[in-house]
């Protein structure tokens, strides 16, 4: 899904932001994350990291809890590296 680019939240509250609305189809997932997740993989370009996340997300068992799925995604992406930046990961999965 293509969405418009905006400044990161909190950078400049006076800059207009673009909103996007969409519906998640049953069985679909939405994964949001901060740039800290990308910065942990400085050896790879951001597009590759996003592609890896999408691939890992597609392989997760939808019957697992979102908490466990996020833990698996983080482990697959950053492993046991020391966090040099903050990382936030939000996973929303529509079940029905």
């Amino acid at each position: 899904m293509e969405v418009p680019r905006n400044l990161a939240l909190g950078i400049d509250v006076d800059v207009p932001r673009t909103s996007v609305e969409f519906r998640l189809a049953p069985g679909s997932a939405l994964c949001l994350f901060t740039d800290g997740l990308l910065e942990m993989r400085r050896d790879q370009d951001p597009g590759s990291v996003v592609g890896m996340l999408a691939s890992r997300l597609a392989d997760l068992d939808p019957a697992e809890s979102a908490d466990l799925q996020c833990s698996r995604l983080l482990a697959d992406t950053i492993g046991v590296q020391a966090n040099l930046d903050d990382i936030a990961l939000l996973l929303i999965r529509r079940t029905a």
Side-chain angles (χ1 to χ4, degrees), residues 33 37-38 41-42 44-54 77:
F33 52 89
L37 190 62
L38 300 177
R41 300 299 299 249
R42 292 176 191 223
Q44 297 178 352
D45 71 274
S48 295
V49 178
V50 171
M52 180 180 65
L53 273 172
T77 306

Side-chain angles (χ1 to χ4, degrees), residues 24-93:
L24 283 179
S28 296
L30 174 65
C31 184
L32 305 172
F33 52 89
T34 59
D35 66 338
L37 190 62
L38 300 177
E39 292 172 0
M40 290 302 298
R41 300 299 299 249
R42 292 176 191 223
D43 59 324
Q44 297 178 352
D45 71 274
S48 295
V49 178
V50 171
M52 180 180 65
L53 273 172
S55 175
R56 299 288 193 277
L57 184 59
D59 291 340
L60 293 176
D61 180 357
E64 290 180 333
S65 71
D67 186 48
L68 181 57
Q69 290 179 339
C70 284
S71 294
R72 290 183 193 276
L73 286 171
L74 287 173
D76 288 349
T77 306
I78 64 171
V80 295
Q81 299 179 45
N83 294 347
L84 303 175
D85 196 356
D86 61 312
I87 297 174
L89 176 66
L90 173 66
L91 179 62
I92 300 168
R93 184 178 295 277

